Amino acid sequence: MFVSDLRKEFYDVIKGKRVLVLVHFDVDGICASKILQSLFRTDHILYTVVPVQKRKDLVNVYENHAEQIKHIILINCGGCIDVVDLLQPADDIIFFIADNHRPLDICNIYSGEQVRILSKLGDDEQVPAFSDVFREDESDEEEEESDEEGGKRPRFDESVLEKRMERRRWEQQRHKIVFDYTQFSYYGNSTAVLMFDLAWKLSKDSNELLWWAITGATDMLMCEKTEQDKYLLMTASLQNHVSRLNHKTQDDQPLDCLRITFEKELQLALYRHCSLVESMRHSLYPATSLRLWTLKGEKRLCELLAEMGLPLSQCKQKYSGMDMTLRNELQSLLEAKVEKYGLGNLLFASFTLTHGFRSKYSAMDYVYAASALLESTDKEKTSADAFLDVADSLSMNKLSVLEKGIEAAKQQLEAVYRQVQTFLDMNQIISAGPFLYATVIEGTPDARFFSAPQCLSLLARFTLRAHVSISRSKKSRSLPLVITTPDVRSSETNTCLVCGIPPVSEESPRNFFGKAFEQAAEKTASKSELEFFDTNVMRLSVDDRSKFFDALISLLS
């Protein structure tokens, strides 16, 4: 069931209770949990936060805590699976689900009091009617079937036969309706923004909580989990809160206060923390638009900088060391040249954060840093350690952790760029018919970065756009991409990660690979693990990879 009033039907219900919060391994989910934890501390609500990455983690954590806790909050996990069927909870346990994954499971939507969904449905989300997927006479049919199995003589009169035929027709129709509803995976609105909305209604909002909501919304955009139109609507709402909480002038505020500003931002990765040339090379949009992995692309970049009046020596040193005048004019100079160089979408609406005399950070900086920390390549760190590092990086008093995340993000972006260049130079992006296919070769030093879902998805997006930018075939724009990489982080040997993304021509980020992977794995009896909440990523045995892809080609042809 859906919760219409977050304050009355959710927050007031858990007040005074002990709560278990299960958080998915993504930046939006962690930002949402930070906002929720802030509210809990204010109202002295006892809580336990546990990160979960897969379905089996959800089951294990539930089994460990079910006896002590009766109220469980699932953030960005659990919405797309029947949690009651998966966890088999006692009747007095209540699940509150705030999940941006779509489509939501029908059983969760039509559950009674036990499953309560906090996130709202979008206007374009069509949920099947209750009567189309559930029948009131199901129990009667089951009893009749059990009677026949028990040896009782069945009554073959016309009414029974008619009922059975009618039921078969209904089941066929139900199967079609459910398949149409679940065939594409996509995302709803940011959960962090939803939690900030709750904080605002409780009159407990602040600039810090607002920044976490902004970071969550920016993560949705950067990971291409939301359309541009939806992002603009979110930013319009967040901009109102920015104006409300930052209405005082700088002269009226303490020097060390937190200040958020809404402004145009460049789609350049971490450009305030490295050189302009490095940032443009490692940013998906300018790198693929200018084809910076080629000599011609390098020359074109030098032409752009020359026309802007930026000396190459200035552009190759760290941004903070650039001439102050050039730094202040950088955005306007780039804006004047974007049309000529095909960089029309280089600027977008975003937010920046300043804290006293310290450096200015953009929401993109926070997302890059948090994502890199979350999928750290440090073998000594557990997933729980990485989760805590991300939570610390979002805290305003632990900027040293954020800086570590920024340095880790630079390494991650460099690894992605190198791998994309290798794919293109070695012609390793192959057309398999209904989709494009690329493989990170076993033994590649950078494979340690890609054996994590979010970095692998970034590599896939960068690879597909780079291929489309140089391909002479118009068909390449309408082809999706499947990419595989050795799973060097897994305890199991001889496994790989598989990730599928929709084609460049698709404006909506709806992804059919989750269902396709499931059917191909089932058809070939491949040794696979479809446990991730982002269903377009799966783990597969290398031995089964060949037959799995044959089945996938057959399925999508």
Side-chain angles (χ1 to χ4, degrees):
M1 62 175 280
F2 285 100
V3 168
S4 55
D5 189 326
L6 282 179
R7 182 172 183 168
K8 289 181 181 177
E9 298 176 45
F10 166 55
Y11 199 74
D12 288 349
V13 172
I14 60 174
K15 257 189 178 179
K17 312 287 195 312
R18 183 165 181 179
V19 183
L20 174 64
V21 184
L22 306 183
V23 187
H24 182 232
F25 269 74
D26 69 334
V27 177
D28 179 53
I30 297 172
C31 288
S33 75
K34 291 278 287 183
I35 295 170
L36 203 55
Q37 287 175 66
S38 176
L39 298 179
F40 288 168
R41 285 193 294 270
T42 305
D43 289 314
H44 308 291
I45 296 173
L46 293 173
Y47 66 91
T48 302
V49 176
V50 184
V52 292
Q53 193 169 19
K54 303 170 192 170
R55 295 186 189 191
K56 63 183 178 184
D57 298 337
L58 194 65
V59 174
N60 293 338
V61 173
Y62 171 76
E63 288 175 352
N64 292 335
H65 294 84
E67 292 182 5
Q68 299 90 14
I69 297 175
K70 303 301 179 187
H71 295 79
I72 300 171
I73 302 171
L74 306 175
I75 296 180
N76 285 355
C77 59
C80 301
I81 52 178
D82 185 351
V83 289
V84 174
D85 182 60
L86 179 70
L87 303 177
Q88 299 293 316
D91 294 339
D92 58 345
I93 292 179
I94 299 174
F95 296 96
F96 293 97
I97 298 176
D99 193 354
N100 60 20
H101 293 89
R102 296 290 185 274
L104 294 170
D105 188 87
I106 295 170
C107 293
N108 291 339
I109 293 172
Y110 290 115
S111 172
E113 294 288 312
Q114 197 159 17
V115 179
R116 305 178 190 184
I117 301 171
L118 308 182
S119 44
K120 297 175 183 176
L121 284 177
D123 297 332
D124 57 341
E125 295 178 47
Q126 302 295 325
V127 176
F130 181 86
S131 58
D132 290 338
V133 289
F134 297 104
R135 280 172 66 106
E136 292 181 5
D137 61 341
E138 278 188 61
S139 57
D140 297 336
E141 297 282 347
E142 287 171 6
E143 282 177 17
E144 189 176 310
E145 285 176 12
S146 63
D147 285 347
E148 289 182 21
E149 289 171 6
K152 289 187 179 180
R153 186 177 177 183
R155 294 183 298 115
F156 287 109
D157 55 30
E158 289 184 8
S159 62
V160 172
L161 290 171
E162 183 62 35
K163 273 185 181 180
R164 288 183 182 175
M165 288 176 66
E166 192 274 330
R167 179 171 177 80
R168 285 197 188 98
R169 285 194 295 269
W170 179 85
E171 284 177 346
Q172 288 173 355
Q173 182 66 16
R174 179 187 188 275
H175 178 76
K176 182 181 181 303
I177 290 169
V178 172
F179 179 80
D180 290 344
Y181 174 68
T182 59
Q183 65 176 322
F184 293 103
S185 60
Y186 56 104
Y187 296 85
N189 291 328
S190 163
T191 308
V193 174
L194 176 77
M195 290 304 166
F196 178 79
D197 190 48
L198 171 63
W200 172 53
K201 288 173 180 174
L202 293 168
S203 301
K204 291 171 182 172
D205 55 332
S206 66
N207 259 343
E208 192 170 24
L209 270 61
L210 176 58
W211 184 250
W212 293 334
I214 288 167
T215 305
T218 306
D219 173 61
M220 297 284 289
L221 178 72
M222 288 172 58
C223 294
E224 296 185 10
K225 294 178 179 179
T226 186
E227 296 102 322
Q228 193 72 30
D229 294 345
K230 283 186 179 179
Y231 173 74
L232 289 174
L233 288 173
M234 276 194 288
T235 52
S237 171
L238 292 168
Q239 186 187 359
N240 292 333
H241 291 297
V242 168
S243 302
R244 179 174 56 82
L245 294 171
N246 297 267
H247 63 279
K248 291 182 181 178
T249 61
Q250 287 185 331
D251 296 335
D252 297 333
Q253 291 181 325
L255 293 175
D256 62 343
C257 81
L258 203 67
R259 187 168 183 83
I260 302 171
T261 51
F262 177 75
E263 57 188 36
K264 284 183 179 178
E265 178 67 11
L266 296 168
Q267 277 200 60
L268 299 179
L270 306 170
Y271 73 92
R272 293 185 180 88
H273 310 280
C274 58
S275 72
L276 183 61
V277 169
E278 282 178 324
S279 177
M280 293 193 79
R281 184 176 290 121
H282 299 140
S283 301
L284 188 153
Y285 180 64
T288 54
S289 298
L290 298 172
R291 304 173 192 172
L292 294 182
W293 54 88
T294 63
L295 286 172
K296 192 175 178 180
E298 284 287 341
K299 283 181 67 177
R300 201 163 160 75
L301 175 61
C302 292
E303 283 174 19
L304 169 62
L305 298 175
E307 285 193 27
M308 288 166 58
L310 296 175
L312 202 56
S313 58
Q314 290 279 329
C315 298
K316 285 187 174 180
Q317 64 178 319
K318 204 166 182 179
Y319 178 83
S320 56
M322 285 177 70
D323 184 86
M324 181 71 78
T325 309
L326 295 177
R327 275 191 301 176
N328 293 337
E329 294 178 356
L330 176 62
Q331 198 171 106
S332 58
L333 290 170
L334 271 170
E335 197 169 2
K337 300 295 177 185
V338 290
E339 294 300 329
K340 180 179 178 181
Y341 286 87
L343 298 168
N345 296 324
L346 189 62
L347 283 90
F348 73 110
S350 188
F351 302 85
T352 54
L353 176 78
T354 49
H355 194 186
F357 294 108
R358 290 171 180 167
S359 302
K360 181 188 280 190
Y361 295 96
S362 71
M364 284 179 65
D365 295 340
Y366 266 78
V367 173
Y368 276 120
S371 298
L373 288 171
L374 195 61
E375 298 183 336
S376 171
T377 56
D378 187 347
K379 292 180 180 178
E380 294 181 2
K381 283 188 179 292
T382 63
S383 56
D385 292 335
F387 182 90
L388 292 172
D389 283 345
V390 175
D392 285 344
S393 73
L394 294 167
S395 300
M396 304 307 162
N397 58 348
K398 293 187 178 178
L399 290 178
S400 59
V401 183
L402 177 67
E403 291 293 341
K404 285 181 184 176
I406 287 172
E407 292 304 314
K410 288 180 191 176
Q411 294 177 11
Q412 192 181 76
L413 290 169
E414 287 167 7
V416 169
Y417 179 80
R418 282 194 298 269
Q419 186 59 53
V420 170
Q421 191 166 20
T422 301
F423 281 153
L424 297 171
D425 291 346
M426 305 294 289
N427 293 319
Q428 291 177 342
I429 303 166
I430 302 158
S431 175
F435 57 85
L436 298 167
Y437 173 65
T439 304
V440 178
I441 297 169
E442 185 82 40
T444 303
D446 290 331
R448 60 197 172 97
F449 289 98
F450 310 133
S451 58
Q454 291 187 54
C455 189
L456 182 60
S457 296
L458 173 61
L459 175 64
R461 294 195 300 274
F462 209 133
T463 302
L464 182 58
R465 291 192 181 274
H467 174 75
V468 169
S469 71
I470 63 169
S471 177
R472 294 179 182 177
S473 171
K474 291 182 180 178
K475 189 183 177 185
S476 63
R477 287 188 59 83
S478 59
L479 289 176
L481 172 71
V482 178
I483 194 165
T484 70
T485 183
D487 190 11
V488 296
R489 300 190 190 196
S490 175
S491 56
E492 295 180 31
T493 56
N494 208 32
T495 59
C496 64
L497 283 185
V498 184
C499 174
I501 59 168
V504 171
S505 59
E506 287 289 329
E507 292 182 6
S508 172
R510 290 178 179 250
N511 197 321
F512 57 81
F513 276 113
K515 206 72 176 174
F517 286 167
E518 185 182 331
Q519 291 180 349
E522 188 178 331
K523 188 177 179 181
T524 57
S526 299
K527 187 181 177 184
S528 60
E529 188 182 282
L530 296 150
E531 286 281 313
F532 292 103
F533 293 108
D534 294 309
T535 54
N536 66 311
V537 180
M538 66 174 288
R539 183 172 281 114
L540 179 71
S541 170
V542 173
D543 297 334
D544 294 330
R545 186 160 55 184
S546 178
K547 66 177 182 180
F548 173 82
F549 276 97
D550 287 343
L552 196 61
I553 292 167
S554 172
L555 196 66
L556 299 177
S557 294

